Amino acid sequence: MDAALMAFAADGTVTHWNHEAERILGWTPAEAVGRTGLTGWAVRKEDAHGIEAALAAAMRSPGRQVHEFALLTKDGHRVLVRTQSSAVRAPGGRVAGVYCAFSEVHTQLDLERSVALSEALFEDASWGVVLVDVDLRPALVNARAAHTLGVGRTALLGCPLGDLLAEGAEELECVLQHVLAGGAPPAAAELWVTLRSEEAGPSRRCWRSGFVRLASPLAEEPVPLGVAWLFQDVTEAKRAEREGALVRFRAHQLHRAGRAAAECPDPAEAAAVHLDFALAGFADHGLVDLAAKSASAPYGAIAGDGTHGDAHGDAYGDAYGEGDDDGCGAVEGESSGAAGTGVTGCGLVRKLASPVGVPGPSEAFAATGLPVPYAPGHPAFQAYRRRGPVRSSAGLAPAEGWAAARNWPDGTVHGLCVVLRSRGRTLGVLTFLRSPARRPFDRADADYAEEVAARIAAALDLAGAAPAGRRGQAPG
């Protein structure tokens, strides 16, 4: 900001008057220089005594003296200015006059507020603030931004954004280039990024970001100095929002499935309807395998398994006990003893399956009694014996033939097996499968799968208990 300058000799004669003083008060240097004092032309007579006393005090005092005066413009208006006055001394130390710099009070206050705001943003702000230069490199970083990025404030200066972000750097640079070229966007943007710093971990973060283009106030034409990037980590809020939306969607799907299944005259058809509705937004394939029954075994028991359990008892200990490392069921291969191996005579017979490769409703299989060729230790067997969910995943680099070894469709990399329980008996296993485009199954997925399994099991149990002659007939 330019300051208005005026100087006075020891006798009060005006010796200097710059163009900024002319702009504020309207008097030209030719009109001001040579006048004695300010009274009568630049100051009202009522205010002159105080101003002259302040200037005289500045001549006698060391350092600068700050005052606020009401000066008079050429057209007769008063303007409040803030002045800084200091004595001008000759080489011998004698006071030769006084030099006075002044500016309009509101302009000075605006400047002070701008400086205070800048200092507060880079010291105490709860948002991260990064000043990015025209080369898209950080030039100034506040403490919050350095903490969020996981590095020191000085280490960020001049560092390319690609060295800080493993994901999201290209999107951020694109936004910065747009702001430099066309100005700030109309609304805040949400950027998902992954940090390279080891302390930050591999999880993605969501930053709500605002951008402001900075230009030099001293240039005649706006010259961009860079971009002020303000951001706040809203990852937890976004995840909670997504989880809430997912819960609402799944509850709506269960409601729709129940309404549609209620219109099915055949309980087996109702089970297929439940499976179709469950796949939407949840998995790519679904399989329903029922336990093979023998004449001597209780209903729902696998041949060779001498126990069937009731609705309570040890069923919950098997489902949620050992191997349940994160509360969403056991991981494939974590079981011990009979829980992880096949038994002679054991079998699961395919009842329903979603089509592979083409969209469409789930298909029912004829009751041939031939078991699905699952290998011993298959996740479906583990889920059946545990009476709880078992999840399986091929990992980041799936081995060739991983899905085929489990008799699952090609392209499967994640599986979740849950038991079909009805009236205290285990009827079979429900399996959900995901392709690489989806994430692995988690706790919430296991809970939802068990809810779907309970509805499918109830429908299949009703289908097995209904007389053959009445199955599929509408009332009337």
Side-chain angles (χ1 to χ4, degrees):
M1 181 186 70
D2 294 334
L5 302 175
M6 58 182 175
F8 301 88
D11 60 357
T13 302
V14 178
T15 60
H16 181 76
W17 191 273
N18 74 346
H19 289 288
E20 185 64 15
E22 177 185 355
R23 186 192 68 80
I24 295 175
L25 298 179
W27 300 96
T28 65
E31 294 171 328
V33 174
R35 289 177 179 261
T36 302
L38 301 175
T39 305
W41 63 282
V43 175
R44 292 196 315 172
K45 293 182 180 180
E46 294 82 356
D47 302 326
H49 177 73
I51 296 176
E52 291 175 354
L55 294 176
M59 291 185 186
R60 299 189 302 266
S61 304
R64 295 181 179 180
Q65 302 293 316
V66 178
H67 300 91
E68 289 186 2
F69 298 143
L71 299 182
L72 198 63
T73 63
K74 188 175 182 179
D75 56 6
H77 294 88
R78 300 176 73 196
V79 56
L80 185 63
V81 298
R82 178 172 295 177
T83 65
Q84 295 187 35
S85 305
S86 60
V88 178
R89 299 185 182 276
R94 180 180 57 86
V95 176
V98 63
Y99 205 77
C100 182
F102 65 94
S103 62
E104 296 177 83
V105 168
H106 70 84
T107 304
Q108 183 72 17
L109 289 176
D110 290 343
L111 176 62
E112 292 178 0
R113 291 190 184 105
S114 298
V115 173
L117 174 61
S118 177
E119 292 180 352
L121 285 175
F122 284 97
E123 294 297 335
D124 305 322
S126 60
W127 284 56
V129 181
V130 179
L131 178 58
V132 183
D133 61 19
V134 292
D135 295 328
L136 305 185
R137 295 172 182 259
L140 196 59
V141 182
N142 75 343
R144 174 68 65 175
H147 175 74
T148 304
L149 292 169
V151 294
R153 296 179 67 175
T154 56
L156 286 172
L157 304 183
C159 181
L161 297 175
D163 293 347
L164 302 174
L165 305 177
E167 296 180 4
E170 293 182 358
E171 182 180 3
L172 176 58
E173 289 179 349
C174 180
V175 174
L176 293 173
Q177 290 174 347
H178 171 77
V179 173
L180 284 171
E190 292 179 350
L191 304 176
W192 285 89
V193 301
T194 301
L195 300 177
R196 290 192 184 276
S197 56
E198 296 179 356
E199 297 83 356
S203 60
R204 299 177 71 223
R205 313 296 298 175
C206 181
W207 292 344
R208 180 170 292 139
S209 303
F211 302 89
V212 179
R213 183 173 64 174
L214 303 179
S216 173
L218 304 179
E220 295 183 0
E221 297 182 0
V223 178
L225 297 177
V227 176
W229 170 33
L230 296 85
F231 64 94
Q232 187 178 40
D233 194 328
V234 294
T235 307
E236 298 305 324
K238 295 300 294 184
R239 286 177 178 170
E241 181 182 329
R242 289 186 175 185
E243 290 174 2
L246 183 61
V247 169
R248 291 191 297 272
F249 171 76
R250 290 178 176 178
H252 185 56
Q253 285 295 100
L254 290 174
H255 174 73
R256 293 179 60 200
R259 294 287 299 272
E263 302 300 324
C264 298
D266 185 358
E269 181 184 352
V273 168
H274 280 293
L275 179 59
D276 292 336
F277 274 91
L279 289 176
F282 182 68
D284 297 290
H285 303 292
L287 308 173
V288 175
D289 300 324
L290 298 183
K293 296 177 291 184
S294 64
S296 59
Y299 181 86
I302 292 183
D305 182 8
T307 62
H308 65 283
D310 56 15
H312 305 286
D314 62 351
Y316 294 101
D318 287 344
Y320 303 106
E322 60 178 296
D324 189 3
D325 57 337
D326 61 355
C328 64
V331 179
E332 178 186 0
E334 287 188 353
S335 55
S336 60
T341 60
V343 180
T344 303
C346 169
L348 293 171
V349 179
R350 181 64 45 80
K351 178 64 176 177
L352 294 171
S354 61
V356 178
V358 293
S362 298
E363 302 172 352
F365 285 71
T368 62
L370 299 177
V372 182
Y374 288 147
H378 192 279
F381 289 147
Q382 296 183 40
Y384 183 91
R385 296 187 182 279
R386 287 178 176 273
R387 303 188 185 99
V390 173
R391 55 190 171 83
S392 180
S393 181
L396 297 178
E400 185 177 356
W402 184 87
R406 290 155 181 77
N407 202 38
W408 288 340
D410 291 338
T412 298
V413 294
H414 308 299
L416 174 62
C417 299
V418 293
V419 290
L420 299 170
R421 297 275 296 174
S422 177
R423 293 189 295 165
R425 297 173 295 181
T426 303
L427 308 184
V429 177
L430 169 63
T431 302
F432 288 108
L433 306 174
R434 286 178 174 175
S435 64
R438 300 181 187 267
R439 57 174 175 77
F441 291 98
D442 58 16
R443 179 191 182 95
D445 296 331
D447 293 341
Y448 178 65
E450 288 185 307
E451 180 67 26
V452 175
R455 296 168 182 250
I456 293 178
L460 293 177
D461 193 10
L462 180 61
R470 294 187 59 84
R471 197 177 304 159
Q473 297 181 2

